[in-house]
Structures are given as structure tokens and as C-alpha cells.
């Protein structure tokens, strides 16, 4: 998400640096990249392809659809089944994939029944275009409504020491699906971005990883230095990768 312009709109100031950051991540052993068609829009997916294609065999690319962009910092959910199908097809084309490992419904559109939204993603899964389906920014009730239609492999909600969505985390752990906390460093507030902050990135990420074996944080950055700092916290021996959590 950070590899875009201001307001998550347009291209980053330095395309070369963005591609170098992605390549450095793979050198550090990171093999789970989380993106969305709305980042840019489309910019982050294009960058992942430009930097990492052809992909290594253990690379897991997760992307999202169901959110439209009207300008910098402007977002609007759109969950019509035909739009979600188009979004999947275009992400496959931009990333040059035959199947997306993990595809999230970026936001649930309140104007469309949840069953219709995840039902279309399930159809795409059965067609072989999606391997696993995820949900983002959802409640326990929404998770269970979606699960009555199809299997849900991962939930991506905000979770950090400022915003603790513990009930959803515990629910995911109980039913055995991955919990992927976005903004794990509270948009920089827990990484030195706020005066007086005592929690370093390393301590914060280790705290998150200790919450549950199903927790897989996704700290974002546009800095190679921060990337290297963050990656150390994820190197705990015995931690399962996304592929193992997704079974």
C-alpha cells in the first residue's frame, strides 16, 4: 500500500527504489506479498510484476478487489458480482498469474448481499482463478455469513497496540483461519512516528506474532531500512508461513 503516491494515488516518487525494495524483500526471505487493485489504483500490482516476475515457486501473492477509487484518499466499496469478476480477471492480467493464491473482498458493499459477493468469488475459485478467499475489515457476524456460502481462508482486519480487534482474532483462531493484521505499526505511530512512542517496530511485531499462531502481520513500508528492521521480527524459528496456515 505504501508503494504508491500521496493518498495512495498514482505512482511513488521513485519507481526504481520501489522495485529494489520488493526485490530486497525476497532476498530477506519474505514470500508473502499483500496488495490490492485499489492501491494506486493498479500501481502496486504493476510494481510487483515488474520487480518479481517470473515469480519464485514459494511466493504467495495476495490481492484484493471490491474497492473503487475516486482520487487521493478516496475509497468506495463496490461488490456487484460482475465487477468482482472483472477485478479478478484484471488482477490476473496485471500480475501475469493463472491463479491468485489469496483473493480478499476488500470491503463488503452494504448495498449487495454478502452471499452474492463471496458467492461470485467462490465461483471464480471453482473455475481455478482463485485458490483461497479472504475478507477484509469484517465483523464476526459477517465472517460467519460469508462462511455459510464458501470457505474463508483469511481475515484482514486492523490490529495493533492502539486498535485491538481481539474478538475477531480469537474467533479466527478458534475456527482455524489466518488473521492478517493490517496497520500493525499503527501507520508509523509504533515505529517512531509519534513522539514519546516506546514500542519499537521489532517489539510490536513480536508482540503481534505472540498473540496466536494464525497471526501473520503485513507491515508496509517504502523504505529498505525499515523493511530490514521489520523483517527481523518475523524470523522467529518455527513460525508457519502463509501457505501452512492456509493449508
Amino acid at each position: 500500500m505504501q508503494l504508491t503516491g500521496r493518498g495512495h494515488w498514482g505512482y511513488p516518487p521513485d519507481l526504481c527504489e520501489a522495485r529494489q525494495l520488493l526485490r530486497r524483500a525476497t532476498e530477506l526471505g519474505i514470500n508473502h506479498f499483500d496488495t490490492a487493485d485499489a492501491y494506486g489504483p493498479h500501481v502496486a500490482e504493476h510494481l510487483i510484476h515488474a520487480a518479481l516476475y517470473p515469480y519464485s515457486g514459494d511466493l504467495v501473492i495476495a490481492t484484493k478487489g471490491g474497492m473503487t477509487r475516486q482520487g487521493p484518499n478516496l475509497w468506495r466499496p463496490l461488490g456487484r458480482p460482475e465487477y468482482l469478476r472483472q477485478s479478478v480477471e484484471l488482477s490476473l492480467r496485471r500480475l501475469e498469474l493463472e491463479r491468485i493464491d489469496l483473493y480478499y473482498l476488500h470491503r463488503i458493499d452494504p448495498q449487495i448481499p454478502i452471499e452474492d459477493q463471496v458467492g461470485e468469488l467462490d465461483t471464480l475459485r471453482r473455475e481455478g482463478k482463485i485458490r483461497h478467499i479472504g475478507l477484509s475489515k469484517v465483523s464476526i457476524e459477517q465472517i460467519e455469513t460469508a462462511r455459510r456460502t464458501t470457505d474463508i481462508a483469511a481475515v484482514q482486519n486492523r490490529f495493533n497496540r492502539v486498535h485491538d480487534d481481539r474478538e475477531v482474532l480469537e474467533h479466527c483462531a478458534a475456527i482455524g483461519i489466518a488473521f492478517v493484521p493490517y496497520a500493525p505499526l499503527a501507520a508509523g505511530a509504533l515505529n517512531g512516528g509519534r513522539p514519546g512512542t516506546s514500542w519499537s517496530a521489532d517489539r510490536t511485531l513480536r508482540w503481534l506474532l505472540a498473540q496466536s499462531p494464525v497471526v501473520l502481520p503485513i507491515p508496509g513500508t517504502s523504505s529498505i531500512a525499515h523493511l530490514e528492521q521489520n523483517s527481523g521480527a518475523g524470523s522467529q524459528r518455527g513460525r508457519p508461513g502463509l501457505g501452512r496456515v492456509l493449508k
Side-chain angles (χ1 to χ4, degrees), residues 25-194:
T26 62
E27 292 171 358
L28 292 168
I30 294 169
N31 63 356
H32 169 207
F33 288 81
D34 180 90
T35 188
D37 65 358
Y39 300 162
H42 311 153
V43 167
E45 288 184 336
H46 281 305
L47 279 170
I48 286 173
H49 178 266
L52 303 180
Y53 189 87
Y55 308 117
S56 63
D58 66 342
L59 185 67
V60 174
I61 297 177
T63 192
K64 314 177 194 71
M67 188 79 84
T68 60
R69 300 297 308 279
Q70 293 73 45
N73 290 319
L74 296 175
W75 313 75
R76 186 177 300 158
L78 180 57
R80 293 201 307 267
E82 62 272 22
Y83 179 74
L84 293 175
R85 174 170 287 274
Q86 172 185 287
S87 297
V88 170
E89 295 284 4
L90 291 175
S91 287
L92 285 167
R93 185 181 303 175
R94 282 188 292 269
L95 292 164
E96 201 168 339
L97 289 169
E98 293 184 2
R99 181 179 68 177
I100 295 168
D101 290 317
L102 174 58
Y103 193 87
Y104 290 93
L105 180 60
H106 202 162
R107 291 291 184 273
I108 290 176
D109 184 343
Q111 306 301 318
I112 308 291
I114 295 176
E115 296 86 346
D116 291 353
Q117 297 174 68
V118 297
E120 185 63 25
L121 296 183
D122 183 61
T123 299
L124 288 156
R125 181 187 61 80
R126 288 185 279 108
E127 292 174 4
K129 296 176 180 180
I130 295 171
R131 182 183 177 199
H132 292 290
I133 297 169
L135 302 172
S136 180
K137 202 172 183 180
V138 286
S139 65
I140 292 173
E141 180 181 2
Q142 290 171 327
I143 293 168
E144 290 307 302
T145 299
R147 290 179 71 222
R148 287 193 287 271
T149 298
T150 186
D151 291 336
I152 300 298
V155 166
Q156 186 173 134
N157 276 19
R158 183 171 58 173
F159 190 100
N160 52 55
R161 293 191 65 85
V162 175
H163 186 280
D164 187 331
D165 199 356
R166 189 160 302 275
E167 288 187 0
V168 174
L169 166 58
E170 291 176 350
H171 184 72
C172 289
I175 61 179
I177 65 177
F179 183 82
V180 183
Y182 73 82
L185 302 177
L190 300 175
N191 191 20
R194 186 172 62 191

Side-chain angles (χ1 to χ4, degrees), residues 206-247:
R206 289 184 184 275
W207 173 82
L208 276 168
L209 290 167
Q211 301 303 304
S212 169
V214 304
V215 170
L216 297 160
I218 48 169
T221 184
S222 58
S223 160
I224 290 178
H226 287 163
L227 167 71
E228 293 173 345
Q229 179 186 32
N230 294 343
S231 69
S235 61
Q236 296 181 19
R237 191 169 295 176
R239 288 292 302 181
L242 184 68
R244 285 183 57 192
V245 173
L246 295 179
K247 301 175 184 177

